[in-house]
Amino acid sequence: MKKYFLFLILFIFTLGASAGDGQKQQKVDSLLVKVRESHQQADFVQQLEKSLQALDIATTANYDTGIAKTHFFAADALVNIGLFKESFKHLKSIESTKYYRENILMQTEIHWVRGRAYLKLELFQQAIREFRLQLASTKNLENEMHQKRTNLNIYANLSATFNQLKQLDSVEKYCLLQLESLRDFDEKNEKYIYIGAYDILGDLYSKKRDFAKSEY
């Protein structure tokens, strides 16, 4: 009888703890919605604050998915704010989660954030390495359009990086790959990407003194 009561108390305690963790997970997911909204509005300070708030709750609940996502959005915000060292710490923490090991998209996006950080730090070779690692990992994405969208961004980042290095042939290569990829998207919806790519190409051909192409 005593063992029965001990088992019952343990069961009730476990049930209560599970319910509490479930509520915490819902709170984390709710905060992540607000984090994404802040990201879309380019309010990176608010994005960071909400991410860290959600991270504390996710850690308490041992919510692996929430831990990975909140670290990611914190890292992204920190890159945009210019706190690169702190961003790298958050990216490193993601790699210890189960979610990271099982989610190809998260793996590709970590390369993206880290590559952008290196680019802003003017560590160009490290940035190129991260973007190329991202490009290699996108081959494993199951969603074809998501893969194409990700590759489009990678080509833009690589062309921008090589442009700063003044490696004109590589700039041209990735600009042309970017324009080729844009064929899979609605031109009206991607007009700013088109404009950016053609601006870089125009500047490139001017540097090469190929004025006929630069005017086009």
Side-chain angles (χ1 to χ4, degrees), residues 2 30 59 61 162:
K2 189 178 291 186
S30 177
T59 302
F162 282 115

Side-chain angles (χ1 to χ4, degrees), residues 26-205:
Q26 290 177 359
K27 179 64 176 176
V28 171
D29 292 339
S30 177
L31 282 168
L32 280 169
V33 172
K34 295 178 181 178
V35 167
R36 291 187 180 93
E37 290 173 356
S38 298
H39 175 77
Q40 291 169 357
Q41 296 164 6
D43 186 348
F44 302 120
V45 173
Q46 184 74 1
Q47 177 184 335
L48 178 60
E49 289 177 356
K50 293 295 183 184
S51 296
L52 294 178
Q53 183 183 347
L55 176 59
D56 285 341
I57 300 170
T59 302
T60 302
N62 197 28
Y63 180 25
D64 185 84
T65 299
I67 291 170
K69 290 182 178 180
T70 52
H71 270 304
F72 174 79
F73 281 108
D76 175 74
L78 286 162
V79 168
N80 287 305
I81 292 169
L83 298 173
F84 306 112
K85 185 176 180 180
E86 292 302 312
S87 176
F88 289 137
K89 289 179 182 178
H90 283 281
L91 293 174
K92 188 68 176 176
S93 295
I94 296 170
E95 293 174 344
S96 65
T97 64
K98 181 181 178 183
Y99 183 83
Y100 166 81
R101 293 191 294 272
E102 296 179 351
N103 191 288
I104 298 297
L105 181 58
M106 176 61 77
Q107 294 170 21
T108 67
E109 290 186 336
I110 284 180
H111 289 306
W112 171 67
V113 175
R114 192 175 278 134
R116 284 170 46 231
Y118 283 135
L119 182 56
K120 290 188 176 186
L121 287 166
E122 298 187 355
L123 298 171
F124 299 120
Q125 295 305 321
Q126 289 94 322
I128 290 167
R129 177 174 57 83
E130 290 297 331
F131 294 139
R132 283 178 169 165
L133 286 170
Q134 184 188 13
L135 188 61
S137 66
T138 59
K139 296 175 182 177
N140 297 316
L141 289 173
E142 294 180 0
N143 186 308
E144 185 178 357
M145 285 308 294
H146 206 149
Q147 182 186 90
K148 290 179 179 179
R149 166 67 64 185
T150 303
N151 286 346
L152 185 63
N153 292 331
I154 297 169
Y155 297 146
N157 285 325
L158 282 167
S159 65
T161 305
F162 282 115
N163 197 36
Q164 292 198 53
L165 288 169
K166 296 181 172 55
Q167 295 183 15
L168 303 186
D169 288 342
S170 293
V171 175
E172 183 176 20
K173 171 186 174 181
Y174 288 108
C175 267
L176 292 175
L177 282 170
Q178 190 180 359
L179 290 170
E180 184 180 339
S181 297
L182 279 166
R183 295 175 185 173
D184 296 315
F185 300 91
D186 187 338
E187 184 174 347
K188 292 180 181 178
N189 295 333
E190 310 299 339
K191 59 182 178 181
Y192 293 112
I193 299 179
Y194 271 103
I195 291 169
Y198 279 120
D199 276 348
I200 292 175
L201 269 181
D203 181 60
L204 165 70
Y205 290 135

